[in-house]
């Protein structure tokens, strides 16, 4: 992982990465308006086809955003459950040790009784605030050996530590319960959004579905055009970089940069090979493979195949590396989308990426402009 990574607030955009794409928005608007003659709102007030499409897209977006919240809560729950289990196991061991020390102290008291001291009062012993209190009351302290005194001190020290551990475990259980509630809330949100989207789509006629497919095709063509445009920009930038490197070939730092680039390319090649092998597998929210993935589950698994451990969620992955400009994006880089950073894909070059798009879809190659230029949030190099 790059040591010079930079954290930044989730809602910010990186300079040089995202700018309002008015031209793209205008083209998309024209494409949608061209259908308006056949898609005007019905007289009964039912939504137009475009309105249905937008609503469905919004629902899928909201479902994906809720999925990342679910992933975060699930990861947090797993860690908290491990912590609670560790604490409870520690309490059990301490309690067992405490019982053994109590039995040992009981044998000391019994020995003192056999030698003629006053009969030990078990109730007094258990209620005593300290070893001194108990043995003062029974007049046995003076008869104990140093080893026996040490055992008494250890017992009360262990008793205090055990009580603290029990309290810590209780607090951790309360925190775990709250996180599990968040997990269930996120899960319910995802399920509700997907159910609403399916219900809307089920109401479309065959003709409406055909027109919706035509609109989607226009969007894909525009996305492909933008991807080709980016590929030209990147090729020009790469050529300029090579020319600059050639002129500066005698500098002391050039060899180090070349080695660094080569190392990243090697890792990226492994990550991309893994991602390509997943093409065709279904998007399933919360899935991390090997049979299905959500967006961040795919990028995490791909880079793990290259020996790089990424965090689970898009919110954390966006900070797990070095932010670069879109023009400088290289194969293997992570492309993040939307202001809430709720989607991610792995860049393969020429304006294209591999990603797990949304529920009901499959892992596929697609233009990074699939939803327009305005939704691209940032580019991160994870190694």
């Amino acid at each position: 992982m790059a040591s010079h990574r930079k954290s930044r607030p989730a809602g910010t955009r990186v300079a040089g990465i995202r700018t309002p794409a008015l031209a793209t928005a205008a083209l998309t608007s024209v494409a949608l308006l061209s259908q308006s003659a056949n898609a005007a709102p019905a007289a009964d007030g039912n939504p137009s086809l475009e309105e249905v499409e937008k609503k469905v897209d919004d629902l899928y977006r909201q479902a994906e955003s809720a999925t990342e919240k679910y992933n975060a809560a699930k990861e947090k729950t797993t860690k908290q459950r491990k912590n609670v289990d560790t604490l409870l196991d520690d309490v059990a061991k301490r309690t067992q040790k405490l019982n053994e020390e109590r039995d040992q102290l009981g044998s000391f008291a019994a020995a003192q009784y056999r030698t003629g001291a006053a009969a030990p009062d078990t109730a007094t012993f258990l209620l005593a605030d300290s070893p001194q209190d108990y043995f003062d009351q029974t007049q046995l302290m003076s008869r104990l050996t140093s080893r026996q005194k040490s055992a008494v001190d250890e017992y009360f020290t262990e008793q205090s530590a055990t009580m603290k551990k029990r309290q810590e475990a209780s607090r951790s259980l309360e925190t775990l319960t709250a996180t599990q509630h968040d997990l269930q809330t996120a899960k319910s949100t995802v399920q509700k959004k997907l159910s609403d989207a399916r219900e809307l789509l089920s109401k479309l006629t065959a003709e409406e579905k055909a027109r919706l497919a035509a609109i989607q095709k226009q969007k894909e063509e525009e996305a492909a055009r933008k991807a080709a445009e980016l590929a030209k920009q990147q090729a020009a930038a790469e050529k300029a970089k090579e020319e600059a490197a050639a002129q500066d070939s005698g500098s002391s730092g050039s060899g180090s940069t070349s080695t660094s680039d080569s190392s990243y390319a090697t890792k990226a090649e492994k990550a991309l090979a893994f991602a390509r092998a997943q093409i065709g597998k279904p998007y399933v929210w919360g899935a991390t493979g090997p049979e299905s993935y959500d967006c961040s589950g795919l990028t995490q698994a791909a880079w793990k195949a290259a020996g790089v451990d990424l965090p689970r969620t898009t919110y954390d992955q966006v900070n797990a590396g070095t932010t670069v400009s879109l023009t400088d994006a290289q194969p293997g880089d992570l492309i993040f989308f939307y202001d809430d950073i709720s989607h991610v894909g792995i860049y393969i070059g020429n304006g294209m990426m591999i990603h797990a798009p949304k529920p009901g879809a499959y892992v596929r190659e697609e233009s990074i402009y699939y939803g327009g230029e305005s939704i691209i949030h940032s580019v991160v190099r994870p190694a």
Side-chain angles (χ1 to χ4, degrees):
M1 197 68 65
S3 61
H4 51 288
R5 69 187 61 172
K6 295 181 180 178
S7 297
R8 57 186 175 76
T12 61
R13 298 187 180 91
V14 178
I17 297 281
R18 180 173 178 186
T19 56
L22 299 180
T24 301
L27 286 170
T28 303
S29 298
V30 170
L32 294 178
L33 290 173
S34 67
Q35 306 293 326
S36 61
N38 296 321
D44 59 3
N46 289 332
S48 69
L49 184 59
E50 285 76 13
E51 290 172 335
V52 170
E53 181 202 30
K54 185 179 185 306
K55 181 64 176 176
V56 170
D57 285 346
D58 286 346
L59 287 169
Y60 278 134
R61 273 272 303 108
Q62 292 168 27
E64 191 166 37
S65 180
T67 293
E68 289 306 311
K69 292 178 181 178
Y70 169 86
N71 291 339
K74 184 178 180 181
E75 186 176 44
K76 188 176 181 181
T77 298
T78 300
K79 291 179 180 178
Q80 289 176 344
R81 184 177 286 114
K82 288 181 179 178
N83 183 51
V84 168
D85 289 344
T86 299
L87 286 170
L88 291 177
D89 184 55
D90 188 26
V91 168
K93 290 178 180 178
R94 286 178 177 275
T95 299
Q96 182 179 357
K97 182 178 179 182
L98 202 60
N99 290 336
E100 292 172 353
E101 290 179 352
R102 181 185 289 115
D103 291 341
Q104 185 179 19
L105 291 178
S107 67
F108 290 162
Q112 295 295 339
Y113 176 66
R114 286 194 298 271
T115 61
D121 184 347
T122 303
T124 301
F125 170 71
L126 294 177
L127 294 175
D129 293 329
S130 70
Q132 185 68 52
D133 289 341
Y134 171 67
F135 286 101
D136 279 351
Q137 293 170 23
T138 59
Q139 299 180 349
L140 293 177
M141 182 61 83
S142 62
R143 301 174 63 87
L144 291 179
T145 65
S146 60
R147 175 174 171 274
Q148 291 170 336
K149 290 178 182 179
S150 176
V152 172
D153 289 337
E154 287 178 7
Y155 171 81
F156 282 96
T157 298
E158 186 65 30
Q159 184 184 56
S160 176
T162 301
M163 290 180 63
K164 290 180 180 179
K165 283 294 181 181
R166 284 174 179 165
Q167 292 171 352
E168 185 179 352
S170 178
R171 290 193 296 268
S172 293
L173 280 170
E174 291 176 359
T175 301
L176 175 60
T177 300
T179 305
Q180 287 176 324
H181 178 267
D182 293 340
L183 181 67
Q184 187 57 48
T185 298
K187 181 177 180 180
S188 298
T189 300
V190 174
Q191 293 172 329
K192 178 65 167 60
K193 299 302 181 183
L194 295 181
S195 176
D196 290 346
R198 285 192 293 266
E199 183 179 357
L200 276 173
L201 289 172
S202 70
K203 294 178 179 179
L204 296 178
T205 65
E207 181 183 356
E208 288 173 329
K209 289 179 180 179
R211 285 195 285 117
L212 197 59
I215 293 174
Q216 182 60 35
K217 184 177 180 180
Q218 288 181 321
K219 289 183 177 180
E220 291 173 358
E221 290 173 349
E222 171 61 14
R225 187 190 69 78
K226 290 292 296 181
E229 182 181 309
L230 175 62
K232 291 180 181 179
Q233 293 174 356
Q234 290 179 328
E238 184 62 27
K239 183 178 179 180
K241 184 189 297 184
E242 291 175 356
E243 291 175 350
Q247 293 176 358
D248 196 34
S249 59
S251 66
S252 58
S254 59
S256 175
T257 301
S258 176
T259 301
S260 176
D261 290 346
S262 176
S263 174
Y264 178 75
T266 299
K267 293 178 181 178
E269 185 177 350
K270 293 179 181 179
L272 287 173
F274 179 92
R276 287 193 178 94
Q278 313 314 307
I279 291 176
K281 293 184 178 181
Y283 176 107
V284 174
W285 62 274
T288 57
E291 300 303 323
S292 57
Y293 299 88
D294 62 19
C295 66
S296 56
L298 176 63
T299 52
Q300 182 188 48
W303 270 103
K304 185 175 183 179
V308 177
D309 290 326
L310 292 181
R312 174 64 182 95
T313 68
T314 54
Y315 315 128
D316 292 325
Q317 287 182 9
V318 76
N319 290 318
T322 305
T323 300
V324 298
S325 69
L326 186 56
T327 304
D328 290 332
Q330 296 180 12
D333 290 351
L334 303 180
I335 311 289
F336 294 91
F337 299 87
Y338 304 106
D339 286 340
D340 61 355
I341 319 176
S342 57
H343 187 67
V344 63
I346 184 167
Y347 193 59
I348 61 176
N350 296 323
M352 302 293 289
M353 67 178 173
I354 297 174
H355 69 150
K358 61 183 179 181
Y362 298 83
V363 176
R364 66 192 183 205
E365 290 187 11
E366 192 166 25
S367 168
I368 64 173
Y369 298 103
Y370 75 101
E373 185 175 3
S374 62
I375 70 168
I376 297 176
H377 180 278
S378 56
V379 183
V380 171
R381 189 157 298 153

